[in-house]
Amino acid sequence: MDRMLAGGGRPGVAAPAQVQGRSGLELMQAMLAGELPYPPIADTLDFALIEVAHSKAVFQGTPQRRHYNPMGTVHGGWFATLLDSALGCAVHTTLPAGMAYTTAELGVNIVRAAREDTGPLRAIGQVVHSGRQMATAEARIVGSDGKLYAHATTTCLVFAARA
């Protein structure tokens, strides 16, 4: 988050003029640099984009008590949102200017509980296939010690962006 804020980033939605003519990778790089707004959900769930490259996006989040379920561990929705962000943004990096995507299917497997003392967790998304109408990707959430907390796959529909 520090990198995005240092570049003047703030939560919001980019205006059409800000995205026109830019590839998905260029858009993600501009967001990381703070030149484009980052999604407001990042503030709500305390996570941020920290790395982006063609076919790859990495987000980092820190579980907090406000993310707990009634059993005293981090809610599955927090894991799912962090994974969906890494997956979708990895897909976005493969798209040419004028194209968009939406998640059509998301499969999440949580293999280890997280709590507020777990520390930062990193979601690493990688594209498996990116085509004209469909893309697939996989992601993992790992701790700073390398332990796996969750993994996921997605199928995204690819389409022409609205002008």
Side-chain angles (χ1 to χ4, degrees), residues 114-162:
R115 294 181 180 78
E116 62 186 330
D117 62 351
T118 299
L121 295 175
R122 198 166 278 195
I124 304 157
Q126 186 71 48
V127 171
V128 175
H129 166 79
S130 184
R132 290 181 306 137
Q133 297 180 325
M134 183 175 48
T136 58
E138 55 193 14
R140 294 173 170 255
I141 293 180
V142 295
S144 57
D145 58 1
K147 288 183 181 176
L148 179 67
Y149 282 78
H151 56 98
T153 58
T154 193
T155 300
C156 294
L157 298 177
V158 176
F159 53 90
R162 290 189 335 191

Side-chain angles (χ1 to χ4, degrees), residues 25 29 52-57 90-95 125-127 130:
L25 179 58
Q29 290 169 331
V52 66
H54 186 268
S55 297
K56 182 179 180 182
V91 166
H92 199 180
T93 67
T94 67
L95 301 182
Q126 186 71 48
V127 171
S130 184

Side-chain angles (χ1 to χ4, degrees), residues 54-98:
H54 186 268
S55 297
K56 182 179 180 182
V58 181
F59 282 78
Q60 184 167 296
T62 303
Q64 297 176 19
R65 189 170 189 81
R66 64 184 170 143
H67 303 139
Y68 278 17
N69 60 32
M71 295 174 289
T73 60
V74 173
H75 192 280
W78 187 87
F79 285 101
T81 304
L82 188 61
L83 287 161
D84 187 49
S85 297
L87 292 160
C89 289
V91 166
H92 199 180
T93 67
T94 67
L95 301 182

